């Protein structure tokens, strides 16, 4: 069945519910200033939809130095494996905090594709399709925001934190779904990645131009918005096409965000110093903290990028530093979500566009390797404490349970309660399924 343009939405706790809780004194403020107990209650509410946080490792992380080590083999590299809290599962020594969360992780060691170019592989992993012809496939975040988002929400349904869009900008776009499902982008890495002081990070993670100019009061701002709406309505009466409607929707969303108290989710200064320190005082760490705050506000899809994994040279030192950055932020994120009762409704995905060659190249480097690589699922909808797939003693080939990119994305959809065979009308007028027809999810990964 072809999906229509309208999607039924389910709201969460009402304002009356919140006031009732507050009046009864049943909740207390969390360290972040949000109502932590209310967030925990919301996670148990059957009306609450799931959220997804994508930790995007731009450049392609080395599987042999992260989640699929080969100790004792020349391909294994210099890192030592450590035992996790899940029996029989070992990961890199530089993931010591994540190792304690292994009971919630499903590690897929047998990801496979044919795309070894950054641009094409990024597009495939993020859309489920290879770039071909005139069809503009939407990013996973746009698809999830369409299925789980609320068109009247005060915050955007898709937030993209510190993206590195150089390899393929279209892989981060809404494609044929249109601008309504495009991400709000904060902390564009091309501008901020090299600037990592706390002040620079805080600046990067703000929504630009959110506040009105001090010279324009609330009354004048409201009058301008009313005038804009009137002009838009007159234009739409003459040109009622999809482009004009998307334009109107984008401006309405911006106006709601400017007026909404929920925009304080971007105010990381509300968090106590020990919490911010636990995530790491860097763009990725604070981006993960922002992701948690956005999940508390029911944003269905948030992604946080950490670039630098394209380790043709100096692989060991680079992966060590990046792994330590990931370890602190990811572990703190899972701990925070669990304490707030939100991990069971929040899916966390760790992946990049491909892996790295089993054999080390010159100058301590690993080149592109799409044939066998690793990705991780955690949290809501996932059966943790397991490894899926096997690449043998040398990592050169998949020995058991290959998982294609469409199968992995189908698994993400099912964990979020989304029918991955749902269809949307593309920009060429042809119905396109969320994931390629006939694709099966990785059932053993699902709870």
């Amino acid at each position: 069945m072809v999906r229509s343009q309208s999607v039924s939405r389910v709201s969460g706790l009402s304002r009356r519910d919140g006031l009732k809780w507050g009046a009864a004194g049943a909740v207390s403020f969390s360290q972040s200033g949000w109502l932590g107990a209310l967030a925990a209650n919301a996670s148990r509410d059957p009306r609450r939809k799931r959220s997804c946080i994508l930790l995007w490792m731009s450049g392609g992380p080395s599987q042999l130095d992260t989640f699929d080590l080969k100790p004792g083999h020349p391909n294994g590299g210099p890192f030592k494996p450590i035992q996790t809290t899940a029996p029989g599962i070992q990961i890199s020594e530089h993931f010591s905090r994540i190792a304690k969360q292994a009971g919630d992780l499903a590690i897929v060691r047998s990801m496979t594709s044919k795309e070894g170019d950054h641009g094409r592989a990024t597009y495939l992993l993020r859309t489920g399709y290879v770039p071909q012809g005139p069809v503009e496939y939407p990013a996973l975040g746009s698809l999830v925001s369409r299925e789980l988002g609320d068109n009247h929400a005060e915050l955007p349904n898709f937030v993209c934190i510190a993206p590195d869009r150089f390899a393929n900008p279209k892989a981060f776009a809404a494609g044929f779904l249109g601008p309504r499902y495009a991400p709000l982008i904060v902390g564009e890495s091309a501008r901020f990645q090299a600037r990592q002081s706390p002040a620079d990070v805080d600046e990067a993670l703000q929504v630009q131009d959110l506040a009105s100019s001090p010279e324009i009061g609330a009354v004048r701002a409201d009058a301008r918005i009313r005038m804009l709406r009137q002009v838009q309505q007159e234009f739409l009466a003459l040109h009622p096409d999809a482009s004009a409607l998307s334009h109107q929707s984008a401006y309405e969303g911006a106006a709601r965000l400017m007026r909404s108290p929920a925009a304080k989710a971007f105010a990381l200064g509300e968090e106590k110093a020990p919490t911010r320190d636990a995530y790491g005082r860097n763009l990725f760490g604070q981006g993960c903290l922002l992701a948690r705050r956005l999940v508390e506000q029911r944003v269905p899809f948030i992604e946080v990028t950490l670039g630098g994994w394209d380790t043709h040279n100096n692989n060991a030192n680079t992966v060590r530093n990046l792994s330590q950055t990931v370890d602190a932020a990811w572990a703190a994120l899972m701990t925070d979500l669990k304490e707030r009762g939100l991990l069971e409704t929040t899916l966390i995905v760790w992946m990049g566009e491909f892996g790295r060659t089993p054999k080390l190249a010159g100058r301590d480097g690993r080149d592109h390797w799409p044939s066998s690589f690793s990705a991780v699922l955690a949290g809501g909808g996932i059966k943790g404490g397991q490894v899926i797939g096997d690449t043998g003693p040398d990592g050169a080939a998949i020995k058991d349970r290959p998982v294609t990119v469409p199968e992995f994305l189908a698994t993400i959809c099912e964990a979020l309660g989304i029918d991955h065979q749902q269809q949307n009308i593309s920009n060429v007028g042809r119905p396109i399924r969320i994931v390629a027809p006939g694709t099966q999810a990785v059932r053993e990964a699902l709870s």
Side-chain angles (χ1 to χ4, degrees):
M1 180 179 70
V2 178
R3 185 174 180 83
S4 66
Q5 293 300 312
S6 62
V7 180
S8 62
R9 308 295 178 186
V10 181
S11 61
L13 295 179
S14 67
R15 182 175 181 271
R16 179 180 297 177
D17 292 332
L19 292 173
K20 185 191 299 181
W21 276 69
V27 294
S28 59
F29 283 99
S30 69
Q31 289 185 347
S32 68
W34 297 108
L35 296 171
L38 183 59
N41 178 74
S43 74
R44 294 187 291 271
D45 188 334
R47 296 171 297 172
R48 181 181 177 88
K49 292 187 176 181
R50 295 183 182 272
S51 294
C52 180
I53 299 173
L54 169 60
L55 306 179
W56 178 251
M57 304 291 105
S58 180
S62 168
Q63 70 279 9
L64 289 96
D65 301 299
T66 52
F67 288 100
D68 192 12
L69 278 72
K70 305 299 178 184
H73 194 279
N75 292 353
F79 300 156
K80 297 178 181 178
I82 58 171
Q83 180 61 46
T84 69
T85 54
I89 297 178
Q90 295 183 328
I91 60 177
S92 165
E93 62 184 308
H94 302 298
F95 285 148
S96 58
R97 296 176 179 90
I98 287 297
K100 298 176 183 178
Q101 309 267 8
D104 294 310
L105 305 182
I107 302 170
V108 181
R109 289 178 174 168
S110 53
M111 292 288 296
T112 185
S113 89
K114 297 179 180 178
E115 302 299 333
D117 169 76
H118 284 293
R120 290 178 61 85
T122 295
Y123 196 89
L124 173 62
L125 266 291
R126 296 177 60 86
T127 69
Y129 292 88
V130 294
Q132 55 186 345
V135 180
E136 299 173 356
Y137 295 101
L140 176 64
S142 297
L143 289 162
V144 172
S145 70
R146 174 173 171 74
E147 296 298 320
L148 301 184
D150 179 354
N151 286 335
H152 302 290
E154 294 179 336
L155 290 177
N157 290 307
F158 177 14
V159 179
C160 190
I161 301 170
D164 181 0
R165 297 186 287 175
F166 177 78
N168 195 327
K170 290 184 178 180
F172 294 79
F176 57 66
L177 293 182
R180 174 180 293 182
Y181 302 103
L184 170 68
I185 292 176
V186 295
E188 182 84 56
S189 62
R191 179 180 176 189
F192 291 106
Q193 197 70 44
R195 298 162 54 189
Q196 292 284 312
S197 75
D200 287 332
V201 169
D202 285 355
E203 178 191 352
L205 297 180
Q206 292 294 315
V207 180
Q208 301 300 309
D209 303 318
L210 187 60
S212 299
S213 170
E215 301 172 357
I216 301 175
V219 174
R220 288 180 64 190
D222 288 345
R224 290 182 176 188
I225 290 175
R226 287 195 300 270
M227 182 181 296
L228 175 62
R229 285 175 177 158
Q230 181 178 348
V231 172
Q232 286 178 328
Q233 290 300 329
E234 292 173 354
F235 184 85
L236 283 170
L238 298 173
H239 308 279
D241 56 26
S243 178
L245 288 169
S246 294
H247 186 272
Q248 181 193 40
S249 175
Y251 271 93
E252 289 292 338
R256 286 196 301 272
L257 180 59
M258 290 175 67
R259 297 174 170 185
S260 172
K264 293 183 70 178
F266 294 92
L268 296 181
E270 291 186 347
E271 297 285 342
K272 290 188 176 180
T275 299
R276 300 194 70 179
D277 292 342
Y279 280 82
R281 295 278 188 160
N282 52 69
L283 191 56
F284 180 77
Q286 298 303 292
C288 287
L289 175 56
L290 174 56
R292 188 217 79 202
R293 291 169 67 89
L294 292 170
V295 166
E296 289 179 299
Q297 294 301 304
R298 300 175 182 270
V299 175
F301 196 94
I302 310 104
E303 66 177 66
V304 190
T305 295
L306 180 64
W309 295 94
D310 193 21
T311 52
H312 294 283
N313 302 303
N314 197 26
N315 177 79
N317 288 333
T318 302
V319 173
R320 178 187 299 108
N321 293 334
L322 292 172
S323 295
Q324 291 169 352
T325 297
V326 169
D327 188 46
W330 188 359
L333 174 63
M334 291 185 66
T335 298
D336 263 4
L337 290 171
K338 188 175 292 187
E339 289 178 351
R340 288 163 171 76
L342 293 171
L343 186 59
E344 62 192 53
T345 56
T346 304
L347 172 65
I348 300 174
V349 182
W350 182 93
M351 67 177 183
E353 63 263 43
F354 41 56
R356 315 302 298 188
T357 51
K359 292 185 178 180
L360 286 164
R363 298 191 296 268
D364 181 35
R366 295 190 190 270
D367 297 329
H368 303 177
W369 187 258
S371 298
S372 54
F373 60 104
S374 297
V376 183
L377 300 167
I382 298 302
K383 182 180 179 181
Q386 64 169 323
V387 167
I388 296 169
D390 180 15
T391 58
D394 60 359
I398 294 174
K399 304 299 183 183
D400 179 59
R401 189 52 169 108
V403 175
T404 66
V405 173
E407 289 171 339
F408 187 73
L409 297 187
T411 309
I412 291 172
C413 288
E414 293 214 11
L416 294 171
I418 295 171
D419 178 6
H420 60 79
Q421 290 298 291
Q422 189 69 259
Q423 297 181 92
N424 294 292
I425 299 298
S426 71
N427 57 298
V428 297
R430 179 164 61 92
I432 301 289
R433 298 186 188 277
I434 293 176
V435 179
T439 301
Q440 298 294 319
V442 183
R443 294 291 172 195
E444 58 267 41
L446 299 168
S447 61

